[in-house]
Amino acid sequence: MTEGDVLSVMREAYLLILKLAGPLLIVSIVIGLVVAIFQAATQIHEQTLTFVPKIIVIVIMLLGLGSWMIAQLRDFIDSLFVMMAQL
């Protein structure tokens, strides 16, 4: 396995991390922003108010996207095992 192969695997791993975590992080940021605007408008500054909507939305997204995420991860791991078998 050459240095280029290792760098290619690392690049694929980083892209997979971004692809899997990106939607969850973006939605979490948007929900946090909406709650922050609501808190500023109503002057309710409860610290725990931001966590409940984020947790609910993240759980719903994981239920909806979980199978896709597992399939993406499984494909990546399968390609790693194929690459290791060729060594």
Side-chain angles (χ1 to χ4, degrees), residues 54-73:
K54 282 183 186 179
I55 289 173
I56 291 171
V57 171
I58 293 296
V59 166
I60 291 170
M61 285 192 66
L62 284 174
L63 289 173
L65 296 176
S67 60
W68 172 77
M69 293 170 126
I70 294 293
Q72 294 292 317
L73 193 58

Side-chain angles (χ1 to χ4, degrees), residues 25-41 49-51 53-54:
L25 292 174
I26 290 171
V27 168
S28 178
I29 289 170
V30 169
I31 295 295
L33 182 63
V34 169
V35 170
I37 291 171
F38 173 75
Q39 284 180 331
L49 186 63
T50 61
F51 294 117
K54 282 183 186 179

Side-chain angles (χ1 to χ4, degrees), residues 1 5 14-15 22 24 26 58-59 62 65 72 84 86:
M1 182 173 249
D5 293 338
Y14 287 140
L15 289 175
L24 298 174
I26 290 171
I58 293 296
V59 166
L62 284 174
L65 296 176
Q72 294 292 317
M84 286 189 302
Q86 292 174 353

